[in-house]
Amino acid sequence: MNKLTKDQKDEFAVSFAALALYDGGADISSDQINTLLEATGNTDVAAFYPIIFSNFLTTDKITQMIVSPVTGGGGGSGGGGGGGGDGGGDEAAAEKEEVVEEEAPP
């Protein structure tokens, strides 16, 4: 969190406040977001964030985002260039195994 800018921290705080209100079944309004921000000690959030987020993050929109999330296209690694025809099949197989090992989660 220390690497985030103030704007990013403000956006996170307001987003989490809106989600907490949604989860609790409360009205998602700028007043409610401000109340929750004050209760959690986030008093330095820029005043326009609760207004913007309460207008955008309505109960219906949050439900829609949770029920049908957008699937990203993921920036998968592009394929390598074509081979030079040297043979070297063993080396290519070893390189492919190394790539698979690097992609595996820890």
Side-chain angles (χ1 to χ4, degrees), residues 33-76:
I33 291 173
N34 280 322
T35 300
L36 192 53
L37 290 173
E38 289 174 18
T40 57
N42 292 298
T43 56
D44 60 340
V45 172
F48 62 90
Y49 280 118
I51 297 167
I52 292 172
F53 279 66
S54 66
N55 287 331
F56 178 74
L57 293 176
T58 62
T59 302
D60 292 337
K61 287 186 181 178
I62 292 174
T63 301
Q64 183 181 11
M65 285 189 284
I66 291 172
V67 172
S68 58
V70 176
T71 55

Side-chain angles (χ1 to χ4, degrees), residues 17-41:
L19 289 174
L21 291 169
Y22 169 83
D23 191 46
D27 183 35
I28 302 172
S29 66
S30 59
D31 290 336
Q32 291 284 19
I33 291 173
N34 280 322
T35 300
L36 192 53
L37 290 173
E38 289 174 18
T40 57

